[in-house]
Amino acid sequence: NATLPAFAAAAAEQFSVVTAFDVIEHVADPLEFAAALRRLIAPGGFVFLSTPDAGSLLPAVAGRHWHHYNRYHFSLFDRSTLDRLAAQAGFSTVGFEHRSKRVALTYVRSYVGDFLVGSPSSPVGASRWSMPLNLFDIMSVVWRKGL
């Protein structure tokens, strides 16, 4: 059972860039996770991560029905709490935005069934049709480790 902290403790090298897209909200101890990222990053290196933005407009409007309030997410952040986590782990935040991403229409159908309607469904086949999606509730963040 490999974890990022275990990998970081055993790693013999450091990296210039590490990505953690849609991960940090799934870990039980985000500070331990961020500290492991710091051990893996070379001085001056970057972490690119994304995570739901609990401080955005959509959760304020949807309340407890926001689709990111679910059993798969152990921790949720807004920009200020994610900036504090970065500082506690020894990073500075050097980039922040709400980006869109392309998603397959079969994924949208499955997601609506699973999280919004409450009737789980499986994607039916691969979709060659996709669409850009931006609900402005996902943060894309860049952290930098000092020199």
Side-chain angles (χ1 to χ4, degrees), residues 1-73:
N1 190 2
T3 64
L4 185 69
F7 176 77
E13 62 184 309
Q14 291 184 308
F15 304 91
S16 297
V17 173
V18 172
T19 61
F21 300 129
D22 302 321
V23 175
I24 199 165
E25 67 273 15
H26 297 279
V27 300
D29 188 339
L31 183 55
E32 178 186 40
F33 183 83
L37 287 170
R38 187 171 189 342
R39 286 192 298 276
L40 288 172
I41 295 293
F46 297 92
V47 173
F48 292 82
L49 63 88
S50 64
T51 190
D53 183 356
S56 64
L57 179 62
L58 191 55
V61 171
R64 67 183 180 88
H65 299 290
W66 183 43
H67 60 284
H68 289 296
Y69 291 140
N70 62 60
R71 67 182 179 264
Y72 305 111
H73 293 163

Side-chain angles (χ1 to χ4, degrees), residues 50-133:
S50 64
T51 190
D53 183 356
S56 64
L57 179 62
L58 191 55
V61 171
R64 67 183 180 88
H65 299 290
W66 183 43
H67 60 284
H68 289 296
Y69 291 140
N70 62 60
R71 67 182 179 264
Y72 305 111
H73 293 163
F74 295 117
S75 303
L76 291 169
F77 305 89
D78 60 24
R79 182 171 184 177
S80 66
T81 57
L82 200 58
D83 285 347
R84 270 197 311 275
L85 177 65
Q88 288 175 325
F91 291 105
S92 57
T93 301
V94 296
F96 174 89
E97 64 183 335
H98 293 101
R99 300 189 65 163
S100 63
K101 62 181 177 180
R102 293 199 71 79
V103 295
L105 293 180
T106 53
Y107 173 82
V108 172
R109 180 183 160 276
S110 176
Y111 197 90
V112 167
D114 289 349
F115 292 106
L116 302 181
V117 178
S119 65
S121 62
S122 297
V124 178
S127 174
R128 49 185 183 143
W129 299 97
S130 64
M131 60 185 259
L133 182 64

